[in-house]
Amino acid sequence: MVNSKACEELDTKVIKTGLCTLCGACVGNCPYLAAYEGRVLLKDVCDLPQGRCQAACPRISLDLDELSEVVFGGPYPEDGLGTARYVVMARTTDSKIRARAQDAGAVTALMKFAMEEGFINSAILTSFEDKSWPRGIVASNDEQILKCSGSSYLAAPTIESFNQVIQNPNHQSIGFIGTPCQVMALVKMRTAPPEISQNLDKLKLIVGLFCTWALAYPDFGRFLEKKISDPVVRYEVPPHPANVLSAYTDKERFSFSIDEVLPFVRPACRFCLDLTAEFADLSVGGGRGEVLNWNTVVIRTERGMRLFDSAAKKGVIETAPIPEGNLSRLKAAAYNKKKRAIENIIQRTGCTDDLLYLKGRPGIIKRLVAECREGSL
Amino acid sequence: MGNEAIARGALEAGVGVAAAYPGTPSTDIIDSLADVAKDLNLYVEWSVNEKVALEVAAGASLGGVRALTAMKQLGLNVALDFLANVSLTGIKSGLVLVVCDDPGALSSTNEQDSRNIAKMFDLPLLEAATAQEAKDMTKWAFELSEQISNVCLVRSVTRISHARGNVVLGELREVSARASFDTTQKPYTTIMGGAPQYHRVLHENLTKIAQIFESSPFNGYAGPERPELLIITCGTGWLYSWEAIKMLSLQDSVGILKLGTTWPLPGELVKRHMMKAEKILVVEEVDAFLENNLKVLAVDSLPGRDRIFYGKHSGHINPFGEINTDIVIRALTNILNTKYIIRDEAYRQKATEILNRYVVFRETQFCPGCPHRGLFWALKDSLRLDGQEGVLTGDIGCYGSGVGSTGFKQLKTMHSMGSGIGVANGLGKLEQFGFKQPVLATCGDSTFFHAAIPALINGIHSKANFILLLLDNSGTAMTGFQPHPGIPMNAVGDPAPAVDIGDLCRGLGVPVEIVDPYDIEDTTQKLLNVLRHSGRPRVIISQRECSLMRARSEKPLYQMDVVAHQCQGETCGCNRFCTRVFRCPGLMWNTNTKKVEIDQAICVGCGVCVDICPQSAITRKEIR
């Protein structure tokens, strides 16, 4: 056996190298690991050669074709957006949600609707009540869902909460809202051995969020402390072309240029391929240009489509076609994120044969590697 | 038991006051005296530490009451400062200091030959070889002490103190009820006359004592008139030597000079016997104390005679660890060039095999339900989560096992009592040299009173950056639950005013947080919070009575069980988290079912393991 100790290998290959996304997949599945204040750490020595930690971790190894097969019944696509049925603009019709939402409230509205209609009976969401250390929570009513709307731009070990409720018989159909890395982890868990995957069919809905990066605490916290004395209650990245991150306290707004903030991006994000949460049932992001106050929604799976269409039909959300320019810009952005990730991976490993956590070579990855090779020549 | 014999000897001498701080192997002496204190009108106390105990005994002596103090070798070191002074000024009524050494360090952090202390301070030293002698010598020590107006030392070792033997009892003597301090006498101090003058008197005393020792019945020779080899021995060495000679049938060629008075040496007696033989083997426990003194005597008094000494320096008797009959047999067969098979090889192998099969290996560990386990677990987790590589310093106490896997290897330094806090004072002042790690020190409640308070005060004054983890388990647990000043009961079981540790710390102006080590989540959280602050000492008091002590009088808190279908055993992926990492002895891994079970015979129902199991397979039900 190659791995003598699974946990230690995870520690040395993923956590200590900055590949860990803080998704929380390994935590809650294993008593040896804990997520605390922006870090996943090994609390005790486990000498198991194979453990749940590695079976769940999307950054120790990930086979995109295998994940794609599990979710979509086919190989990983060439398209930068991943597997998509259609892309559309949407926004909530509920003014209460609109008031709290980051963009147009589609995520909150869809999750609330899914619970009301019995698609799910509980939802794993990320709570930003602790502004520095967002965590997963289990929501089982509208109010709890509404409380979690908005965005923090901070990584959260949300799957830890998922792992904790998955065995509980009270939670039979579970929904999840998460970032691309969290969604990848959940789907990888579906491909894992039975002790991890046995209850995953309770997961009835995954709503993915577009994500370019997440900030790393406590470094970002220390940066903020020097600039702002009051606690931050909300973050916002205003639409293009503002190019700033705004932090709101109860009294005022502080804006930092993105260039100032980028050094605090989690190192793990530099190796991320996924802008649009490609393995979710449906993925949601912001709008721009003429559809600024709308959400961009990528409908990916059968059940994602069923939920979305039903919500639209019942007037919970209103929809609009995506402007042609927006779609091509989104595809380009998604492709570019992949390209940057592959560049960074190759830079880290120093060779094109070793792509860190990426196992297998779907066509698009081969193409990106080839482009990198040409670029470096 | 040897220690009971020592207590009996003191009673036969009419001892009135006994004071000590517990320490194995000396503890039972005061425990035994405390048991009869009320009946015999004695005053017996567990003092705050050994120095105070010796001072209490000296006070009694100066007031005209015979007094005894007993301590282990490390305790004697605590009392040395006062001993160094009182040995010069002298005492009034008999004052006996019993020191119980621990060769082999069976229950100590060091191995020390305390006989050197008697020589260092020019005090008489008696060494018992049997339980009978332990009684008789202690009784005589009081008379001797009064004859020379100074402290008399009696040295015991674990195998004397803890061994049982027949003792012929003498009459009990009534305690004098006419105590008073004579204020017309010149003061007990060296400051008026000059210490060297007092020192001179001490040396004159030694000559007088040696004279008395010449006719002591505790010394004696047995063997042929002109032995081929003379064994000179004392204490446990006497019986080991006697047994070795018998086993080797050397009664006709080897003689034994047994000494009970080992400092100062009865020179004439020893010389007389040394002249009988060319070869001398010295058998004694720990240092070459007797051997060196005999050599000096031989060089000074028996010039021009070739005499070969065997013992520690020749390598025949080990100068560390315990000695035993086998060691003496090996020395004798080597010196006399004879053969003796102590244990034949086949027997040895068989015995080892059987032992390995039936005697379970047990590591040093916290008892089932020990509050320290919960505290160390919370500490381990909080230090990992905190991520600043906090360092825990400590000292000797049950919690000292925290260096091993039972304390999750959290304790990084362990020395004398209270030393963890002193060491933390030093580490806590290194910020200017780039030191960034949080520093934590641990000590028990009894240790806190014994030796930690000055170090805490030092830290407050120096603004040293450390956290004191005060593990309050309501007693001196390691030596057998003796009370200390924080307990509302004294040595004889009467109510006594208790000093509140928390109030004491708060009175010193230190922030104090109380945690329950059975609530590991809350304790972890509080530790994390405290780790975040820095700049001065902070105190966390972990409060839970020792589970063994509690089990004597109260029912378990919970009935503990394992829900068998919930425990996934080896397939869980937790890698036996409960029995491999948490390791409470109350949890058993069943190698047949490959699942955990509760050992109901030893589980005390603390309930902590419920919070450890990732599958919630362990349950607790409150017992009312």
Side-chain angles (χ1 to χ4, degrees):
Chain A
M1 206 158 293
V2 188
N3 317 339
S4 58
K5 292 172 185 176
C7 263
E8 268 178 36
E9 196 187 37
L10 193 79
D11 194 34
T12 50
K13 284 197 174 166
V14 179
I15 299 173
K16 293 208 170 103
T17 54
L19 278 182
C20 172
T21 64
L22 193 69
C23 69
C26 59
V27 188
N29 250 324
C30 163
Y32 296 86
L33 291 154
Y36 184 72
E37 300 198 340
R39 294 176 296 138
V40 170
L41 51 97
L42 194 53
K43 285 199 298 179
D44 297 284
V45 179
C46 170
D47 54 7
L48 281 188
Q50 284 181 316
R52 294 180 180 197
C53 52
Q54 292 207 6
C57 176
R59 283 301 176 94
I60 189 89
S61 69
L62 195 76
D63 186 332
L64 293 167
D65 275 335
E66 192 186 5
L67 299 198
S68 191
E69 195 64 47
V70 166
V71 182
F72 305 111
Y76 191 61
E78 291 287 324
D79 194 313
L81 270 191
T83 303
R85 288 171 182 248
Y86 56 94
V87 183
V88 65
M89 305 309 292
R91 64 182 178 193
T92 178
T93 53
D94 184 334
S95 59
K96 238 166 74 185
I97 298 176
R98 280 292 281 279
R100 287 192 61 114
Q102 176 84 10
D103 296 305
V107 174
T108 307
L110 285 168
M111 202 40 93
K112 192 166 159 265
F113 176 72
M115 196 172 284
E116 281 162 3
E117 296 292 307
F119 282 82
I120 57 171
N121 65 12
S122 46
I124 310 296
L125 313 171
T126 304
S127 161
F128 307 112
E129 258 179 285
D130 181 338
K131 294 294 162 196
S132 312
W133 317 116
R135 286 208 88 92
I137 63 147
V138 187
S140 44
N141 60 46
D142 287 2
E143 204 172 314
Q144 287 166 322
I145 294 175
L146 197 60
K147 259 186 157 175
C148 291
S149 58
S151 179
S152 79
Y153 300 96
L154 301 174
T158 312
I159 304 182
E160 179 184 12
S161 305
F162 175 79
N163 287 336
Q164 283 159 358
V165 301
I166 191 81
Q167 286 177 39
N168 187 330
N170 294 331
H171 300 279
Q172 280 306 328
S173 40
I174 302 170
F176 185 93
I177 302 176
T179 54
C181 52
Q182 292 171 343
V183 174
M184 273 192 190
L186 282 176
V187 176
K188 180 177 173 179
M189 284 161 69
R190 279 173 64 182
T191 69
E195 61 265 25
I196 291 183
S197 57
Q198 60 189 351
N199 287 311
L200 272 154
D201 52 358
K202 290 185 186 177
L203 186 57
K204 301 294 186 200
L205 175 68
I206 302 177
V207 175
L209 306 168
F210 292 8
C211 175
T212 31
W213 40 253
L215 292 168
Y217 254 72
D219 292 347
F220 180 63
R222 279 193 285 271
F223 164 80
L224 275 186
E225 262 172 37
K226 282 185 213 147
K227 313 265 178 183
I228 309 176
S229 52
D230 293 321
V232 173
V233 293
R234 192 162 69 86
Y235 296 100
E236 191 186 276
V237 177
H240 185 78
N243 207 34
V244 294
L245 173 84
S246 300
Y248 292 83
T249 68
D250 277 333
K251 295 177 202 138
E252 52 190 320
R253 186 182 75 167
F254 296 83
S255 285
F256 306 102
S257 91
I258 291 292
D259 290 340
E260 207 177 349
V261 170
L262 281 181
F264 301 106
V265 166
R266 283 186 75 83
C269 301
R270 300 178 59 233
F271 308 104
C272 175
L273 297 159
D274 189 354
L275 178 75
T276 60
E278 294 168 28
F279 298 99
D281 291 308
L282 50 87
S283 313
V284 184
R288 64 191 286 176
E290 58 196 277
V291 284
L292 182 61
N293 293 318
W294 290 73
N295 281 118
T296 308
V297 182
V298 183
I299 310 294
R300 299 186 184 279
T301 65
E302 166 80 35
R303 63 187 187 189
M305 185 172 70
R306 252 196 353 256
L307 175 78
F308 186 82
D309 288 353
S310 168
K313 208 157 135 197
K314 299 215 170 163
V316 168
I317 49 171
E318 53 182 317
T319 64
I322 181 165
E324 196 48 49
N326 280 26
L327 184 59
S328 53
R329 260 197 303 273
L330 179 63
K331 287 192 177 193
Y335 190 81
N336 280 337
K337 184 169 181 184
K338 285 187 173 44
K339 193 175 169 189
R340 270 197 310 276
I342 295 293
E343 277 167 7
N344 289 334
I345 288 171
I346 292 172
Q347 198 188 12
R348 164 76 68 94
T349 63
C351 69
T352 52
D353 295 334
D354 178 1
L355 297 183
L356 292 176
Y357 66 97
L358 293 174
K359 310 297 168 203
R361 292 285 167 101
I364 186 167
I365 301 293
K366 275 191 204 142
R367 186 145 55 93
L368 287 162
V369 169
E371 278 178 31
C372 280
R373 208 182 276 138
E374 279 163 29
S376 68
L377 282 174
Chain B
M1 210 203 300
N3 279 343
E4 290 169 328
I6 291 168
R8 174 74 193 193
L11 293 174
E12 290 180 9
V15 74
V17 169
Y21 182 83
T24 316
S26 72
T27 314
D28 330 79
I29 298 169
I30 300 297
D31 268 339
S32 306
L33 290 171
D35 285 346
V36 298
K38 285 183 181 172
D39 292 341
L40 300 177
N41 190 30
L42 313 181
Y43 173 69
V44 180
E45 74 165 39
W46 285 119
S47 309
V48 73
N49 64 31
E50 292 84 354
K51 176 170 175 281
V52 173
L54 178 59
E55 287 158 357
V56 168
S61 159
L62 298 183
V65 177
R66 284 187 168 184
L68 174 136
T69 181
M71 52 197 71
K72 68 184 295 171
Q73 79 280 5
L74 287 156
L76 179 57
N77 303 342
V78 176
L80 278 192
D81 194 8
F82 183 70
L83 185 63
N85 280 277
V86 76
S87 62
L88 289 173
T89 64
I91 48 90
K92 191 178 163 200
S93 290
L95 173 50
V96 174
L97 192 163
V98 181
V99 57
C100 300
D101 279 355
D102 186 14
L106 301 166
S107 44
S108 303
T109 52
N110 88 333
E111 185 176 61
Q112 154 182 328
D113 194 329
S114 297
R115 296 177 300 176
N116 295 299
I117 305 288
K119 191 176 175 184
M120 185 170 159
F121 296 129
D122 307 310
L123 294 170
L125 172 71
L126 307 179
E127 281 191 74
T130 62
Q132 181 73 51
E133 273 195 356
K135 179 193 80 82
D136 296 340
M137 271 184 183
T138 307
K139 183 180 173 188
W140 185 50
F142 282 93
E143 285 163 36
L144 191 61
S145 165
E146 281 169 13
Q147 266 174 288
I148 57 162
S149 298
N150 215 325
V151 182
C152 183
L153 264 70
V154 175
R155 186 222 196 189
S156 176
V157 292
T158 310
R159 303 293 175 186
I160 300 288
S161 282
H162 284 182
R164 293 183 181 274
N166 294 331
V167 176
V168 179
L169 304 183
E171 292 289 313
L172 291 178
R173 194 178 120 164
E174 195 124 339
V175 183
S176 155
R178 295 170 62 187
S180 73
F181 187 101
D182 184 357
T183 51
T184 62
Q185 266 213 341
K186 68 170 185 164
Y188 290 92
T189 172
T190 60
I191 224 79
M192 314 289 279
Q197 288 312 308
Y198 285 88
H199 199 183
R200 182 176 60 82
V201 175
L202 268 187
H203 279 264
E204 286 165 6
N205 258 352
L206 281 179
T207 318
K208 190 171 141 194
I209 300 163
Q211 208 61 48
I212 298 168
F213 283 176
E214 291 289 351
S215 55
S216 162
F218 298 117
N219 306 322
Y221 175 78
E225 192 46 45
R226 292 213 65 84
E228 189 186 332
L229 174 84
L230 172 67
I231 293 179
I232 304 184
T233 184
C234 57
T236 52
W238 179 51
L239 283 178
Y240 298 148
S241 301
W242 183 78
E243 198 177 4
I245 288 173
K246 214 175 127 193
M247 287 169 80
L248 296 170
S249 304
L250 290 172
Q251 289 93 332
D252 295 336
S253 53
V254 178
I256 300 180
L257 174 63
K258 178 249 174 208
L259 296 175
T261 65
T262 43
W263 187 256
L265 281 175
E268 293 306 318
L269 172 86
V270 174
K271 263 190 287 180
R272 222 166 35 243
H273 289 286
M274 282 206 291
M275 281 163 67
K276 288 179 187 172
E278 311 269 291
K279 293 177 179 172
I280 296 169
L281 169 65
V282 187
V283 179
E284 62 190 316
E285 205 86 71
V286 192
D287 286 349
F289 178 78
L290 190 55
E291 184 179 334
N292 289 350
N293 295 333
L294 289 169
K295 282 176 176 170
V296 171
L297 191 71
V299 169
D300 285 354
S301 330
L302 301 167
R305 297 280 299 262
D306 282 338
R307 193 161 277 98
I308 309 173
F309 279 91
Y310 301 95
K312 310 275 180 188
H313 293 292
S314 67
H316 288 84
I317 307 288
N318 42 303
F320 48 81
E322 290 192 282
I323 60 167
N324 56 40
T325 306
D326 288 356
I327 288 165
V328 183
I329 289 176
R330 260 184 234 118
L332 287 172
T333 51
N334 181 286
I335 297 163
L336 301 173
N337 211 11
T338 56
K339 273 218 157 67
Y340 182 84
I341 296 166
I342 296 171
R343 228 167 270 108
D344 83 70
E345 189 53 25
Y347 175 87
R348 195 193 62 77
Q349 268 185 9
K350 200 174 159 193
T352 311
E353 208 177 282
I354 291 172
L355 270 178
N356 288 342
R357 196 162 353 126
Y358 292 109
V359 182
V360 182
F361 171 75
R362 284 181 197 274
E363 60 182 348
T364 306
Q365 58 185 337
F366 298 141
C367 304
C370 177
H372 299 334
R373 182 176 289 101
L375 194 276
F376 273 87
W377 185 270
L379 178 74
K380 163 190 70 88
D381 278 4
S382 55
L383 289 183
R384 289 293 293 143
L385 295 176
D386 178 61
Q388 299 181 81
E389 280 185 76
V391 187
L392 179 69
T393 62
D395 61 25
I396 180 69
C398 290
Y399 47 89
S401 299
V403 293
S405 49
T406 193
F408 319 109
K409 302 184 180 167
Q410 294 303 301
L411 191 54
K412 301 301 180 192
T413 78
M414 188 185 109
H415 303 97
S416 62
M417 292 186 65
S419 60
I421 304 159
V423 171
N425 267 267
L427 284 169
K429 289 305 295 179
L430 297 183
E431 202 183 337
Q432 72 195 81
F433 305 104
F435 191 88
K436 291 195 176 71
Q437 295 153 273
V439 178
L440 301 97
T442 186
C443 81
D445 43 342
S446 192
T447 306
F448 179 69
F449 289 111
H450 179 287
I453 296 171
L456 176 60
I457 291 174
N458 191 75
I460 292 166
H461 185 61
S462 67
K463 288 194 278 181
N465 187 15
F466 68 85
I467 298 160
L468 169 58
L469 288 179
L470 229 161
L471 310 188
D472 181 1
N473 61 358
S474 308
T476 316
M478 201 175 195
T479 48
F481 321 118
Q482 290 77 18
H484 58 64
I487 304 297
M489 187 187 77
N490 63 19
V492 298
D494 285 339
V499 178
D500 186 278
I501 294 178
D503 285 350
L504 183 63
C505 293
R506 280 184 282 265
L508 293 171
V510 199
V512 176
E513 179 104 57
I514 311 279
V515 299
D516 175 3
Y518 283 178
D519 186 343
I520 47 179
E521 198 185 324
D522 182 63
T523 303
T524 306
Q525 202 47 57
K526 283 180 172 152
L527 280 166
L528 279 166
N529 289 343
V530 171
L531 280 163
R532 211 153 280 177
H533 300 97
S534 63
R536 62 175 181 141
R538 292 136 283 160
V539 175
I540 287 196
I541 303 178
S542 168
Q543 244 165 20
R544 267 286 171 183
E545 189 180 10
C546 163
S547 60
L548 292 186
M549 207 147 64
R550 186 182 182 281
R552 288 178 165 188
S553 55
E554 286 170 61
K555 278 193 256 177
L557 287 172
Y558 301 104
Q559 168 64 41
M560 305 299 298
D561 284 296
V562 174
V563 185
H565 68 88
Q566 201 92 335
C567 173
Q568 298 183 13
E570 265 184 357
T571 60
C572 176
C574 76
N575 194 10
R576 301 201 288 117
F577 199 55
C578 51
T579 49
R580 200 184 61 85
V581 184
F582 185 62
R583 300 172 87 93
C584 177
L587 296 165
M588 291 188 298
W589 187 255
N590 185 322
T591 47
N592 294 323
T593 62
K594 302 204 186 315
K595 289 184 177 195
V596 74
E597 285 171 15
I598 307 285
D599 185 346
Q600 299 290 0
I602 60 168
C603 173
V604 298
C606 73
V608 176
C609 55
V610 171
D611 302 323
I612 300 298
C613 175
Q615 290 296 328
S616 309
I618 308 175
T619 61
R620 59 186 166 215
K621 206 171 77 196
E622 228 170 290
I623 296 175
R624 286 174 198 281

